[in-house]
Amino acid sequence: MEKAGINRFLQMHELEELRLEAYENSSSYKEKTKRWHDARLKGVKEFETGDKVLVFNSRFKFSPGKLKFRWTGPYLVKQAFPSVYVELFGNENTFKVNGHRLKLYFDRVDTTVQDDITFFPKAN
């Protein structure tokens, strides 16, 4: 009976050591994964008052239709907070949105300006 008790005691300690080793391995895996993910993050989007932005509409996530446009706007940035939240103005109301759901909106540039280049036909 005494040998069985000692054997059981050793098995419990081995099990505890295996559990601690598994915990350490998972911690190191999480740290490596976080480093890998953080290395591939894009820079923080910075918005200024007066910028025009589009908002990602996540309501279409489950049944968007294949060609449905997921960005709404443009909205005008009323105020940008340091905590990544941005206050927007549009459709006669203001609301706050997470800055990760925004992208800058650029107005179309008028490309109809033509150069004054005169081409002369070649004389044969």
Side-chain angles (χ1 to χ4, degrees):
M1 193 72 164
E2 190 174 315
K3 281 187 177 182
I6 292 172
N7 191 16
R8 181 71 173 162
F9 180 77
L10 292 175
Q11 287 177 348
M12 293 294 284
H13 282 291
E14 286 179 20
L15 188 62
E16 184 69 20
E17 287 178 16
L18 287 173
R19 188 186 67 76
L20 287 174
E21 185 179 337
Y23 179 76
E24 290 171 3
N25 287 341
S26 69
S27 296
S28 65
Y29 173 75
K30 286 180 185 178
E31 289 173 12
K32 288 178 185 176
T33 305
K34 182 174 177 12
R35 265 187 272 132
W36 180 85
H37 183 266
D38 289 346
R40 283 154 182 77
L41 281 177
K42 294 181 180 178
V44 176
K45 297 178 186 177
E46 294 181 10
F47 300 102
E48 297 177 5
T49 304
D51 286 346
K52 288 185 178 180
V53 293
L54 297 174
V55 178
F56 184 74
N57 194 349
S58 60
R59 287 182 290 168
F60 295 131
K61 189 173 187 175
F62 296 110
S63 61
K66 191 170 186 176
L67 302 174
K68 185 75 172 174
F69 192 63
R70 296 175 189 253
W71 295 91
T72 59
Y75 297 101
L76 196 63
V77 174
K78 188 173 181 181
Q79 184 177 2
F81 299 100
S83 61
V84 188
Y85 280 95
V86 179
E87 188 173 1
L88 301 177
F89 175 77
N91 301 333
E92 303 297 326
N93 58 2
T94 59
F95 54 96
K96 291 182 183 176
V97 177
N98 190 334
H100 296 292
R101 297 181 62 208
L102 300 176
K103 71 177 178 180
L104 284 173
Y105 174 77
F106 300 103
D107 290 330
R108 291 183 182 218
V109 179
D110 187 19
T111 58
T112 59
V113 177
Q114 297 178 357
D115 294 332
D116 292 334
I117 299 175
T118 308
F119 294 100
F120 297 102
K122 288 184 179 180
N124 287 337

